[in-house]
Amino acid sequence: MKKICISVGVLLSLFRAGYGQSVAQPTYEKRKLKLEEINLVSSYYQQDGNNSAVTGGIGTEKLTDFAQSFDLVLKTTDQRNRQHTIAFDFNIDHYTSASSDNIDPLTVSSASRSDTHIYPSIAWNVHNDNNRTTKGLALSYSTEYDYKSYGINLNFAKASADNNREVSLKAGAFFDTWKAILPPELRPDGYGSGAHGDRDPIDYKPRNSYNLSLALSQVVNKRMQLLFTVEPSFQQGLLSTPFHRIYFQDGGETVEKLPGSRLKLPISFRLHYFMGDRVVVRTFYRYYIDDWGMQAHTANLEVPVKVTSFISVSPFYRFSHQTAVRYFAPYEQHKQTEKYYTSDYDISGFNSQFIGIGFRTAPPGGLFGIGHWQSVELRLGHYTRTTGMVANSVTLLAKIK
Amino acid sequence: MNKNLFRKTSGLMACLGLLSLTGCTTVKEYQKSRINDAEMELSARKSEKFEQNFYLYREGAAGANGGKSGGGCGCN
């Protein structure tokens, strides 16, 4: 009898314990689409150099670019308790380029002397807490005077049970169309200039890009996390720029010619470490190789220091080394017998450095007493390339939440 | 493409990955105050957006940095 009493007691206590730990099914809580955050980014960039590809590897590379970006993130939860995130991103930049003005040096101002580049995108992601997955779709569009692009991206991510590891896969495709503007002295008879009002026909050429990205993020310990990314991409179509001139050793002239496909393989490693209470060390390294013969190493170090609980200062330094593609040669160095040729110094061999500093403030009550204005960030940078090109940039970011 | 170099680099990255994973400890959600800090986010900053665009246009190497990977010629 004593045993039965003990057994019943144990069973009852187990039942109670089981009852106590039973988890109620999450009740459906319908939530309206809620504005999560708005980011406004403004940037000014200017560069100068003396190796413009438009003039065959010599001549001014002077360029200024004023860019604006507006992104808006909305969130909601559906009947199955999945979180939906919708992000709109609208970007516009206006540039003036002295080298592009030299496409047609005889006119006062050629078609591409200045241009406005507009590229909006929309992304939709669904996160499911139950199986720790995120699925998403993004569409993008880009337009400028002589170029149009349509893009689609799909992504999938799965986190581990303890949320310390995540594997993500992305696949994307861009379908672009070039308006093939040629230098005037190299236009066949009857070929248009591409300028407004010119009714002569001009060729349109495709350029398609396909990307695949596999990433693994891992929390190493309470202060450190890292991310590996492999992102192969394949491009095909017109990969040369139709108004880039080539001057041969014998004095002949033509336009840049490059293979119709390019396979790129970048592999990167990002490691972030929180040192003490105030310093974060952000490191990034990328190795890159492609089938045009280019190899590159890029390293980035940024050390945000929290001066106070809401002000941080972030000095940064980036170094990059790349070898030239096998089709590159400077002004008047190419031979007519070569199959492909370019004098574009962007794909030549060089080292580049980018050094600068960022300031960020995020006061608890919002900026200037505006509660929703969460933070403001300013970044200043100076870029140099061993080809002689120099650039400066300044970026201002305002986050509203 | 230099296949040997590619193999060596892939091998090195895989080894680094495995080494870092074997050294991991389980971190509970309540222990992630530093991991969840805005500065620790495992991506480029939003304010780097246009910098990444000019790297894409002014350098031959691209990708695997969370930046733009296509769309727009960057030919100026």
Side-chain angles (χ1 to χ4, degrees), chain A residues 163-337:
Chain A
N163 274 320
N164 285 330
R165 186 179 304 132
E166 187 177 79
V167 178
S168 66
L169 186 68
K170 287 180 194 168
F174 292 92
F175 305 99
D176 305 357
T177 307
W178 272 98
K179 190 177 188 179
I181 296 171
L182 297 173
E185 70 277 20
L186 297 169
R187 284 175 204 153
D189 285 342
Y191 192 88
S193 64
H196 286 299
D198 185 349
R199 294 181 176 224
D200 284 334
I202 188 164
D203 285 346
Y204 287 83
K205 304 275 186 184
R207 175 191 284 182
N208 299 333
S209 309
Y210 308 95
N211 310 316
L212 194 66
S213 166
L214 179 67
L216 168 70
S217 67
Q218 173 72 49
V219 174
V220 179
N221 57 42
K222 285 185 262 182
R223 292 174 175 272
M224 186 189 290
Q225 58 182 341
L226 51 87
L227 173 74
F228 284 107
T229 308
V230 183
E231 194 176 342
S233 73
F234 178 72
Q235 286 186 301
Q236 64 179 173
L238 180 68
L239 303 186
S240 54
T241 303
F243 49 79
H244 282 178
R245 290 177 175 88
I246 299 295
Y247 294 97
F248 293 108
Q249 285 178 352
D250 61 7
E253 183 192 347
T254 188
V255 291
E256 183 179 82
K257 192 177 174 198
L258 288 166
S261 69
R262 190 178 185 187
L263 182 62
K264 304 174 178 182
L265 182 66
I267 302 169
S268 73
F269 177 71
R270 186 182 283 277
L271 188 147
H272 292 177
Y273 180 65
F274 206 119
M275 192 190 286
D277 291 330
R278 290 174 180 271
V279 180
V280 177
V281 180
R282 293 165 60 95
T283 63
F284 174 81
Y285 169 76
R286 178 182 64 197
Y287 173 70
Y288 169 93
I289 190 166
D290 68 29
D291 64 353
W292 286 9
M294 178 179 282
Q295 287 182 43
H297 300 272
T298 305
N300 197 79
L301 174 68
E302 181 167 357
V303 186
V305 179
K306 292 172 186 292
V307 181
T308 69
S309 57
F310 56 89
I311 295 175
S312 66
V313 179
S314 309
F316 60 86
Y317 176 71
R318 178 183 184 273
F319 177 82
S320 188
H321 165 79
Q322 69 178 49
T323 59
V325 297
R326 63 177 70 94
Y327 317 112
F328 174 83
Y331 178 73
E332 289 190 337
Q333 297 295 307
H334 278 294
K335 292 176 190 158
Q336 297 259 16
T337 52

Side-chain angles (χ1 to χ4, degrees), chain A residues 43-277:
Chain A
S43 168
Y44 177 75
Y45 168 86
Q46 65 88 20
Q47 68 169 49
D48 204 358
N50 204 25
N51 295 111
S52 170
V54 174
T55 37
I58 55 167
T60 179
E61 292 175 89
K62 196 167 187 175
L63 181 145
T64 59
D65 182 82
F66 184 63
Q68 288 285 329
S69 164
F70 170 83
D71 79 63
L72 187 146
V73 181
L74 299 164
K75 277 194 176 176
T76 188
T77 306
D78 69 10
Q79 292 183 6
R80 289 158 65 183
N81 239 14
R82 295 175 304 186
Q83 292 153 30
H84 294 249
T85 307
I86 299 166
F88 298 95
D89 193 2
F90 183 82
N91 304 277
I92 181 164
D93 47 291
H94 182 78
Y95 63 80
T96 58
S97 165
S99 67
S100 294
D101 199 27
N102 287 325
I103 295 171
D104 191 347
L106 299 177
T107 58
V108 175
S109 181
S110 57
S112 282
R113 191 185 87 73
S114 69
D115 199 1
T116 303
H117 178 200
I118 298 169
Y119 46 112
S121 69
I122 181 167
W124 173 39
N125 277 286
V126 183
H127 177 74
N128 189 335
D129 264 335
N130 294 331
N131 57 13
R132 305 173 307 280
T133 58
T134 306
K135 294 170 194 166
L137 167 73
L139 299 170
S140 63
Y141 173 68
S142 171
T143 179
E144 51 198 300
Y145 187 81
D146 56 349
Y147 205 90
K148 278 200 175 17
S149 173
Y150 298 89
I152 181 164
N153 261 280
L154 295 167
N155 60 281
F156 174 79
K158 169 102 179 159
S160 61
D162 59 6
N163 274 320
N164 285 330
R165 186 179 304 132
E166 187 177 79
V167 178
S168 66
L169 186 68
K170 287 180 194 168
F174 292 92
F175 305 99
D176 305 357
T177 307
W178 272 98
K179 190 177 188 179
I181 296 171
L182 297 173
E185 70 277 20
L186 297 169
R187 284 175 204 153
D189 285 342
Y191 192 88
S193 64
H196 286 299
D198 185 349
R199 294 181 176 224
D200 284 334
I202 188 164
D203 285 346
Y204 287 83
K205 304 275 186 184
R207 175 191 284 182
N208 299 333
S209 309
Y210 308 95
N211 310 316
L212 194 66
S213 166
L214 179 67
L216 168 70
S217 67
Q218 173 72 49
V219 174
V220 179
N221 57 42
K222 285 185 262 182
R223 292 174 175 272
M224 186 189 290
Q225 58 182 341
L226 51 87
L227 173 74
F228 284 107
T229 308
V230 183
E231 194 176 342
S233 73
F234 178 72
Q235 286 186 301
Q236 64 179 173
L238 180 68
L239 303 186
S240 54
T241 303
F243 49 79
H244 282 178
R245 290 177 175 88
I246 299 295
Y247 294 97
F248 293 108
Q249 285 178 352
D250 61 7
E253 183 192 347
T254 188
V255 291
E256 183 179 82
K257 192 177 174 198
L258 288 166
S261 69
R262 190 178 185 187
L263 182 62
K264 304 174 178 182
L265 182 66
I267 302 169
S268 73
F269 177 71
R270 186 182 283 277
L271 188 147
H272 292 177
Y273 180 65
F274 206 119
M275 192 190 286
D277 291 330

Side-chain angles (χ1 to χ4, degrees), chain A residues 39 43 45 47 63 67 69 71 89 91 95 100 117 119 144 147 149 162-164 178 211 218 220-228 231 265-268 272 274 276-277 280 282 286-289 294-296 302 304 306 312 314 318 322 346 350 352 354 377 379 383 385 389 395, chain B residues 1-3 5-6 9-10 13-14 16-18 20-21 23-29 31-76:
Chain A
N39 291 287
S43 168
Y45 168 86
Q47 68 169 49
L63 181 145
S69 164
D71 79 63
D89 193 2
N91 304 277
Y95 63 80
S100 294
H117 178 200
Y119 46 112
E144 51 198 300
Y147 205 90
S149 173
D162 59 6
N163 274 320
N164 285 330
W178 272 98
N211 310 316
Q218 173 72 49
V220 179
N221 57 42
K222 285 185 262 182
R223 292 174 175 272
M224 186 189 290
Q225 58 182 341
L226 51 87
L227 173 74
F228 284 107
E231 194 176 342
L265 182 66
I267 302 169
S268 73
H272 292 177
F274 206 119
D277 291 330
V280 177
R282 293 165 60 95
R286 178 182 64 197
Y287 173 70
Y288 169 93
I289 190 166
M294 178 179 282
Q295 287 182 43
E302 181 167 357
K306 292 172 186 292
S312 66
S314 309
R318 178 183 184 273
Q322 69 178 49
D346 294 345
F350 60 77
S352 71
F354 188 53
E377 197 174 326
R379 264 173 90 85
Y383 181 82
R385 226 165 65 169
M389 200 201 89
T395 305
Chain B
M1 194 181 290
N2 187 333
K3 284 182 180 171
L5 191 65
F6 171 66
T9 310
S10 307
M13 297 297 279
L16 273 171
L18 285 172
S20 56
L21 294 183
C24 298
T25 54
T26 301
V27 181
K28 307 277 185 201
E29 288 305 316
Q31 296 174 313
K32 288 185 180 171
S33 60
R34 289 193 167 87
I35 290 293
N36 291 335
D37 189 277
E39 301 285 6
M40 286 288 283
E41 200 174 329
L42 277 175
S43 59
R45 297 162 177 280
K46 291 232 179 207
S47 56
E48 287 179 67
K49 184 180 201 171
F50 293 115
E51 289 169 15
Q52 288 189 322
N53 285 1
F54 90 71
Y55 301 148
L56 179 69
Y57 300 150
R58 292 290 76 96
E59 297 179 357
N65 63 349
K68 203 175 163 193
S69 53
C73 68
C75 44
N76 296 288

